Amino acid sequence: MKKINIDGRVIGPDQPPYIIAELSANHNGQLETALKIIEEAKRAGADAIKLQTYRPDTITLNSDLPDFQITNGLWKGRTLYELYEWAHTPWEWHQALFEHARKLGITIFSSPFDTTAVDLLEDLNAPAYKIASFEAVDLPLIEYVARTGKPMIISTGMADAEEIQEAIDAARGAGCEQLAILHCVSGYPAPPEDYNLRTIPDMIERFGLVTGLSDHTIDNTTAITSVALGASLIEKHFTLDRNGGGPDDSFSLEPAELAALCRDAKTAWQALGKVDYGRKSSEQGNVKFRRSLYFVEDLNVGDVINHDSVRSVRPGYGMPPKFLEKIIGKKVKNNVIKHSVVKREDIDEC
């Protein structure tokens, strides 16, 4: 069975879903807010908090030519450089954020967007790396991350099956032994109908990796459903206040919602269980509500059982009703009293 291990936590189909709270740009330029988000993620029960490590100059060019203009969506009217200047997590914060998370006992790692970001995160001893969807085609970056020897998660938004395989091959070829992929729709927010969650079991079969979901819908329904289809990891953007006005606030979970995700994803995983047609522990006390055969008159040894002698009633401690016609016409071997349970040992030739 495929599994990976991040910071001592085993992740795979036989483990509860691994919940990643994506801090992204939801600090809104305030270190104190970023620290508070880490605290709330820990309180909600998330397994990890994830950052994004870039500067505007490491992710784009400072240009206002048409290629660099955002013309629709949440960030309409900005250039790419302006967006990433607004949204980035300052590199000088990273040490404080890592130290705070480790003090609280929540795993922290990041998405690097270039090799200098990887170097920074290596200096901080990041336990794992996440490749963002838009970087899944940056095979040299994937190879650079793979050479760290750390576990890697690749998000696959916008990537087709061939591109996903290329990313996997790049990671494996550069030495990545612990690799997971996330089904993702790179819309912000993304409508649930775009998610096509039936892709998840196909990904598991096709690529043979630990597989999860990066969810940009605005509630938990899609994420919880993904667990039933085999998702072992779930990543959701997380904020203190959806109305905070930051780049990603509007499609992020608030603390109570993240707590619900952590709780309900585990419940969904527990409910999957295994193939089992037997009586469950919670059902044991309810046998009295099943039907079974009971004598409804006194009979002496040698008396013949007829339709007036027995009935199918509750509780279910006697022979099943399917044996009713088989015992009609048979003799009792022992004296039986009215309202006693019908047992095989009391019936001749049964």
Side-chain angles (χ1 to χ4, degrees):
M1 183 175 291
K2 297 292 183 180
K3 60 184 68 177
I4 64 171
N5 186 311
I6 294 179
D7 203 20
R9 167 68 149 85
V10 177
I11 305 167
D14 61 344
Q15 298 292 322
Y18 188 79
I19 308 299
I20 304 167
E22 168 65 86
L23 191 151
S24 64
N26 289 333
H27 51 72
N28 295 339
Q30 300 294 320
L31 176 59
E32 295 77 10
T33 300
L35 296 171
K36 181 66 173 176
I37 287 174
I38 295 173
E39 293 168 10
E40 291 298 327
K42 171 64 176 179
R43 185 173 292 113
D47 294 286
I49 186 81
K50 193 184 76 64
L51 313 178
Q52 296 181 0
T53 305
Y54 63 86
R55 295 190 303 258
D57 58 298
T58 67
I59 199 169
T60 190
L61 303 176
N62 190 4
S63 173
D64 58 4
L65 290 175
D67 282 358
F68 297 86
Q69 297 282 348
I70 303 171
T71 58
N72 52 50
L74 288 178
W75 310 306
K76 179 180 179 180
R78 295 176 182 266
T79 66
L80 290 175
Y81 193 94
E82 289 169 343
L83 171 63
Y84 298 127
E85 177 63 39
W86 178 35
H88 81 287
T89 299
W91 286 24
E92 58 269 22
W93 292 6
H94 276 59
Q95 183 171 347
L97 296 175
F98 269 71
E99 289 175 354
H100 193 57
R102 286 166 174 161
K103 180 179 178 181
L104 293 171
I106 184 172
T107 296
I108 184 169
F109 58 98
S110 188
S111 293
F113 289 79
D114 80 319
T115 58
T116 63
V118 178
D119 294 342
L120 170 67
L121 294 166
E122 278 295 282
D123 288 342
L124 294 169
N125 196 26
Y129 290 94
K130 157 77 186 302
I131 301 298
S133 285
F134 296 138
E135 274 58 46
V137 293
D138 190 343
L139 303 186
L141 175 61
I142 290 173
E143 292 167 346
Y144 195 85
V145 170
R147 285 192 284 271
T148 69
K150 305 286 181 64
M152 188 191 316
I153 303 166
I154 301 176
S155 202
T156 63
M158 299 192 72
D160 59 27
E162 181 179 356
E163 290 170 328
I164 295 170
Q165 188 64 61
E166 288 173 348
I168 291 169
D169 291 344
R172 290 297 200 209
C176 181
E177 296 182 355
Q178 297 196 70
L179 182 62
I181 54 177
L182 301 181
H183 177 50
C184 179
V185 177
S186 295
Y188 304 94
E193 59 267 25
D194 275 2
Y195 260 89
N196 296 303
L197 291 179
R198 289 188 176 90
T199 307
I200 291 174
D202 186 79
M203 291 173 71
I204 294 170
E205 181 177 1
R206 182 187 298 253
F207 301 113
L209 297 174
V210 174
T211 302
L213 179 75
S214 179
D215 182 18
H216 297 140
T217 63
I218 58 175
D219 65 16
N220 287 331
T221 305
T222 301
I224 299 302
T225 304
S226 77
V227 176
L229 292 167
S232 298
L233 309 88
I234 296 172
E235 179 189 64
K236 289 281 279 190
H237 285 248
F238 179 53
T239 186
L240 301 179
D241 180 3
R242 191 176 294 118
N243 298 310
D248 299 340
D249 280 321
S250 65
F251 58 89
S252 299
L253 296 183
E254 293 180 337
E257 295 165 323
L258 179 62
L261 174 62
C262 295
R263 179 194 68 229
D264 295 345
K266 184 176 182 179
T267 299
W269 174 79
Q270 290 172 328
L272 287 174
K274 60 185 179 181
V275 177
D276 181 4
Y277 292 101
R279 188 176 296 174
K280 313 306 181 292
S281 61
S282 61
E283 298 176 317
Q284 296 301 327
N286 288 335
V287 67
K288 63 171 54 70
F289 300 116
R290 283 188 123 189
R291 299 183 82 92
S292 68
L293 300 180
Y294 273 74
F295 291 106
V296 291
E297 61 181 10
D298 295 331
L299 295 175
N300 297 317
V301 174
D303 286 346
V304 175
I305 301 170
N306 59 46
H307 283 287
D308 293 326
S309 306
V310 293
R311 281 184 57 196
S312 168
V313 297
R314 295 184 182 190
Y317 301 116
M319 292 178 67
K322 66 183 179 181
F323 292 106
L324 176 60
E325 294 303 321
K326 293 183 179 181
I327 67 173
I328 298 300
K330 298 289 179 67
K331 295 179 180 179
V332 293
K333 296 193 297 184
N334 304 301
N335 294 335
V336 297
I337 61 173
K338 182 179 180 179
H339 296 170
S340 64
V341 65
V342 175
K343 297 181 291 186
R344 291 178 184 270
E345 55 264 34
D346 290 329
I347 302 171
D348 192 30
E349 299 178 4
C350 187

